[in-house]
Amino acid sequence: MANASSKKWWKNAVIYQINPRSFCDSNGDGIGDIAGIISKLHYLKELGVDAIWLGPIFPSPGHANGYDISDYKGINPELGTMEDMEKLISRAKRLGIKIIIDLVINHTSDEHEWFKKALEGDPKYRNYYYFRTGKGKGFPNNWTSFLGGRAWTKTDGDDYYLHLFSKHQPDLNWHNPDVYDEITDIMRFWLDKGVAGFKCNMINIIYKKSLDDGKKRMALTGREHYLNASGYHELIRRFNEDVWSKYKTFIVGEPVFANLDEAKLLSDESRKELDSVFFSNQMNLDNIRIKGIKNKYNAFSLVKTLDKWQESLDIPATYFQNHDQLRSIKPFGNTTKYLDKSTKLFCGLGLSLKGIPFICEGEEIGNANTDIKNENVEGQNEDSILSFYKKMIAFRKDSQAILEGSYRRVASPSDVYLFTRESMDERLYIYCNLTNKNKSVEFYGEKIIFGNYDEQEREDFYLKPYEFRIVATDI
């Protein structure tokens, strides 16, 4: 058994993502809720997860799927009460499961009390946001939003306010020290309640270094004034020093348009910023520059992307499905003849890579983002996808090589991902056939110790369609 006693708890964790509205509806009103999550804690414990990442739980008018927050210290009444949330934290803790929550600090809802007071003319709260007068009869600058159109909306007065997303999500002014004090107070509020950390959305656009006109672009005119602006790194370091370091937290970032260099800066332990960073490049390999038009998926592109991030980051946050992108099997795998095999392959791959694996709700039963209450998760057989997830998570937790070992890609056909995970006492070869065809490969190692094909189904000289296997070798 791997010994992780000297490690920070999150370094060997398996984290399960829950969208509270869709996970489990406890009262039949058609909306998932916190009570439903509580009812499934033992299920999650048996699955083997160490932490739950909760999607939006705060009160919100719902213009942006809960990411327009109107009260950072409340619970959306559709999901339950603060008492329910405290019960969830307490009961999860008893089972050894930690709770992480989504935190959006680039903007609030336009129905947040701060913004309401700002619109009423309160000078203190007007400085919480960006209010500016227009240029002549035009906007304050030429910036455009992530949703298209101008990034400014006119108030009932003579000025405008900035919103990089919808008009219902006014951007916070991080040059104002009062905003820093408010947000750090909110962080302490939740950490004191027992939350173990935060997933920080859009963390690399919170700091606007100026409001000057931007270079005209087809999309996101003005982004050079806020995307990866250096000031946000200083804010994160202050969060860490003033708040996060005082608790045993796990802080993962989901930056916008993350590139490798920026991800390295964010997650470099010596810089004392974030603990880990999501990268979404593997989810966008079939996108081209024209919105809505897709390239044909290429397995080698996936291999190259994963390999690059594995080599470059110490502890990446790995996933193949999340609340925004429920599609690891399509286009990566096969949704018909090899649905079972390809689903298990991506389970094995995600749990074998270096870093912190995230599992999206329902992924473990082959149906991401589903109401778990309505699924038969109790009576699944030994060959089910759920059973495979449980076994693979248990295997991971018992493997020193996977938990703490090095990563190295090994030469193989372009659509076969072959890599090693190696510790002082253990070397594993991980084989992933990313096609629906038999693939001849060079086999290394002495003993197959895990896979998604039974022993009698395997072949000695090639991998079968969407085959995943782990081979151990003596060191």
Side-chain angles (χ1 to χ4, degrees):
M1 176 69 72
N3 180 9
S5 60
S6 63
K7 296 285 184 180
K8 294 181 179 179
W9 69 265
W10 48 266
K11 287 193 173 182
N12 292 335
V14 174
I15 301 178
Y16 190 90
Q17 181 197 353
I18 288 177
N19 176 1
R21 300 182 68 87
S22 62
F23 181 66
C24 183
D25 174 13
S26 70
N27 57 12
D29 67 354
I31 300 173
D33 45 48
I34 295 171
I37 299 170
I38 293 171
S39 74
K40 293 298 179 182
L41 285 175
H42 284 281
Y43 163 78
L44 295 173
K45 179 66 176 178
E46 291 174 4
L47 180 60
V49 303
D50 303 289
I52 296 168
W53 154 31
L54 292 179
I57 58 170
F58 304 113
S60 166
H63 295 294
N65 297 317
Y67 290 100
D68 48 331
I69 299 168
S70 57
D71 179 5
Y72 285 93
K73 293 183 178 180
I75 297 294
N76 188 325
E78 292 183 319
L79 305 179
T81 64
M82 184 61 76
E83 183 180 358
D84 292 331
M85 186 63 185
E86 291 167 348
K87 187 182 296 183
L88 171 61
I89 294 168
S90 174
R91 293 193 179 178
K93 182 179 180 180
R94 276 186 244 159
L95 293 173
I97 298 174
K98 299 181 185 296
I99 303 294
I100 299 161
I101 61 175
D102 253 318
L103 188 64
V104 180
I105 58 175
N106 176 69
H107 50 257
T108 69
S109 165
D110 61 347
E111 295 186 25
H112 195 289
E113 195 64 27
W114 301 340
F115 193 71
K116 288 180 179 179
K117 289 180 178 179
L119 289 180
E120 292 168 0
D122 188 320
K124 173 183 177 181
Y125 290 100
R126 282 183 66 81
N127 199 33
Y128 277 36
Y129 301 90
Y130 291 98
F131 287 93
R132 297 292 186 272
T133 56
K135 294 179 179 179
K137 296 183 180 180
F139 296 93
N141 64 29
N142 67 346
W143 293 11
T144 54
S145 82
F146 279 80
L147 305 183
R150 292 289 188 164
W152 296 90
T153 290
K154 200 171 190 302
T155 69
D156 290 338
D158 295 326
D159 56 5
Y160 297 78
Y161 64 89
L162 176 68
H163 52 87
L164 291 182
F165 292 87
S166 88
K167 67 179 182 179
H168 300 291
Q169 297 166 282
D171 280 41
L172 287 166
N173 174 15
W174 280 98
H175 292 270
N176 180 358
D178 289 342
V179 170
Y180 180 86
D181 292 341
E182 293 273 18
I183 297 299
T184 52
D185 178 67
I186 289 162
M187 291 175 180
R188 291 187 189 97
F189 173 85
W190 285 106
L191 292 170
D192 286 339
K193 282 191 176 293
V195 162
F198 305 107
K199 191 268 271 182
C200 297
N201 290 52
M202 299 165 283
I203 194 68
N204 60 330
I205 63 171
I206 64 175
Y207 186 84
K208 284 71 175 175
K209 61 184 180 182
S210 83
L211 295 180
D212 294 341
D213 278 344
K215 177 183 177 181
K216 289 186 179 180
R217 306 173 190 271
M218 290 187 65
L220 296 180
T221 293
R223 69 187 185 212
E224 66 270 27
H225 296 294
Y226 59 82
L227 181 63
N228 300 328
S230 58
Y232 92 93
H233 287 286
E234 177 58 30
L235 284 171
I236 295 175
R237 283 192 289 271
R238 288 178 61 198
F239 293 150
N240 198 330
E241 181 179 355
D242 296 344
V243 183
W244 301 337
S245 64
K246 314 299 184 192
Y247 302 80
K248 295 180 179 179
T249 58
F250 171 60
I251 311 295
V252 61
E254 189 173 33
V256 177
F257 302 138
N259 61 58
L260 200 51
D261 290 338
E262 201 64 28
K264 285 180 182 179
L265 292 176
L266 280 168
S267 59
D268 182 342
E269 192 168 3
S270 67
R271 289 173 57 88
K272 300 185 185 302
E273 295 188 29
L274 302 178
D275 295 315
S276 189
V277 175
F278 283 109
F279 62 98
S280 59
N281 303 55
Q282 78 278 13
M283 304 304 297
N284 300 308
L285 294 173
D286 57 345
N287 286 346
I288 62 175
R289 293 184 182 274
I290 302 174
K291 186 176 180 180
I293 299 179
K294 303 290 185 181
N295 278 331
K296 185 176 180 180
Y297 162 70
N298 182 298
F300 185 49
S301 297
L302 176 63
V303 173
K304 286 194 301 182
T305 298
L306 292 174
D307 179 60
K308 179 175 70 172
W309 286 80
Q310 285 285 295
E311 288 282 3
S312 301
L313 298 185
D314 290 333
I315 310 177
T318 61
Y319 71 97
F320 292 106
Q321 300 184 38
N322 69 10
H323 59 289
D324 290 324
Q325 296 154 312
L326 305 170
R327 58 193 201 118
S328 67
I329 306 309
K330 183 182 181 181
F332 298 154
N334 184 288
T335 59
T336 53
K337 182 178 179 180
Y338 296 110
L339 175 61
D340 180 85
K341 297 302 184 188
S342 57
T343 302
K344 291 174 180 177
L345 178 145
F346 281 97
C347 164
L349 173 56
L351 289 163
S352 298
L353 289 168
K354 185 177 69 173
I356 304 166
F358 284 73
I359 298 170
C360 184
E361 65 176 61
E363 181 183 326
E364 77 282 5
I365 55 174
N367 189 10
N369 207 26
T370 187
D371 186 338
I372 295 295
K373 179 181 178 181
N374 295 325
E375 297 292 322
N376 178 18
V377 296
E378 307 300 335
Q380 301 215 7
N381 61 42
E382 281 296 302
D383 193 44
S384 68
I385 293 170
L386 176 59
S387 179
F388 189 87
Y389 266 83
K390 288 180 178 179
K391 292 173 184 175
M392 186 62 212
I393 291 171
F395 180 90
R396 173 188 174 86
K397 291 186 174 185
D398 203 35
S399 170
Q400 193 79 22
I402 292 182
L403 290 181
E404 301 176 0
S406 63
Y407 161 92
R408 180 177 62 89
R409 184 178 161 204
V410 179
S412 64
S414 62
D415 43 15
V416 172
Y417 192 11
L418 171 56
F419 58 93
T420 63
R421 300 299 314 280
E422 183 173 341
S423 64
M424 185 176 296
D425 302 317
E426 183 181 30
R427 180 189 299 143
L428 304 177
Y429 288 89
I430 316 294
Y431 291 82
C432 303
N433 178 7
L434 300 171
T435 77
N436 61 359
K437 299 178 176 62
N438 295 329
K439 300 296 293 188
S440 296
V441 295
E442 184 78 24
F443 284 111
Y444 305 92
E446 285 76 43
K447 183 180 180 182
I448 300 173
I449 57 175
F450 203 92
N452 63 347
Y453 278 81
D454 292 335
E455 183 176 357
Q456 63 271 22
E457 296 178 300
R458 298 184 190 123
E459 298 292 342
D460 293 333
F461 302 105
Y462 60 84
L463 294 171
K464 299 187 80 170
Y466 296 104
E467 182 171 356
F468 169 81
R469 69 168 71 172
I470 300 177
V471 184
T473 187
D474 296 331
I475 294 182

